[in-house]
Amino acid sequence: MTDRATILFKPLIPLAVASLLLLTTLGCLEVKTPTAAGEDFAFTTTSGETKHLSDYRGGPVLIDFMGVACPPCQQEMFVLYQLHRNYTTLTIVSIDVWTTRGETAASIQQLKDAFHAYNMTLDWTFGLDDAQGSLGTRYAGEG
């Protein structure tokens, strides 16, 4: 991270973690429990590849149901960035569930580019819900 990015973002990391915990605790991010632990589902990566949750078996996986235009989700990227850097055995998969609101792979790329401008590379797997918003309906709450 450059000195400029460190100065700008380092003080925000504790705030981002606290905000995420607070929003989850207060119910802003409603959590829907799947019917079975580790229930398999499919999604499309931003490069067009179909992946399944079962593809990531064998290690810890953090599934992030997000939306590019969701302010809490944008703040969460700072936390996920730090987790990704500090816990190399953790697999992170961020799935944009706002496809029903018009978000696309290009939207995700714009988000990644904005972070990259501050030398923060979001290089974990990003994917998209289907056009009907199946994953968002089943697993994600309103952000």
Side-chain angles (χ1 to χ4, degrees):
M1 203 181 287
T2 66
D3 291 336
R4 179 177 171 214
T6 300
I7 291 168
L8 290 174
F9 292 118
K10 192 171 183 178
L12 296 177
I13 293 170
L15 177 63
V17 171
S19 297
L20 179 62
L21 292 173
L22 180 63
L23 290 173
T24 302
T25 303
L26 294 176
C28 178
L29 302 176
E30 175 188 349
V31 177
K32 295 182 182 178
T33 305
T35 56
E39 184 176 317
D40 201 18
F41 59 80
F43 66 95
T44 304
T45 66
T46 53
S47 61
E49 181 182 1
T50 299
K51 298 293 270 181
H52 294 84
L53 178 59
S54 59
D55 295 339
Y56 300 98
R57 284 196 180 127
V61 179
L62 187 153
I63 305 295
D64 170 40
F65 294 108
M66 50 78 77
V68 171
C70 164
C73 302
Q74 294 167 359
Q75 293 175 0
E76 183 179 71
M77 290 298 134
F78 293 102
V79 177
L80 295 175
Y81 173 78
Q82 289 300 321
L83 286 172
H84 185 65
R85 287 185 51 163
N86 295 324
Y87 299 96
T88 57
T89 61
L90 175 66
T91 299
I92 299 174
V93 179
S94 291
I95 302 173
D96 190 329
V97 294
W98 281 19
T99 52
T100 57
R101 299 179 188 196
E103 293 190 358
T104 64
S107 306
I108 294 172
Q109 189 58 52
Q110 289 174 342
L111 175 73
K112 292 172 74 173
D113 290 346
F115 276 83
H116 190 70
Y118 292 97
N119 293 321
M120 298 176 74
T121 303
L122 308 181
D123 59 354
W124 56 87
T125 301
F126 280 82
L128 296 158
D129 198 351
D130 60 32
Q132 296 76 37
S134 302
L135 295 176
T137 300
R138 184 161 180 98
Y139 298 108
E142 291 296 317

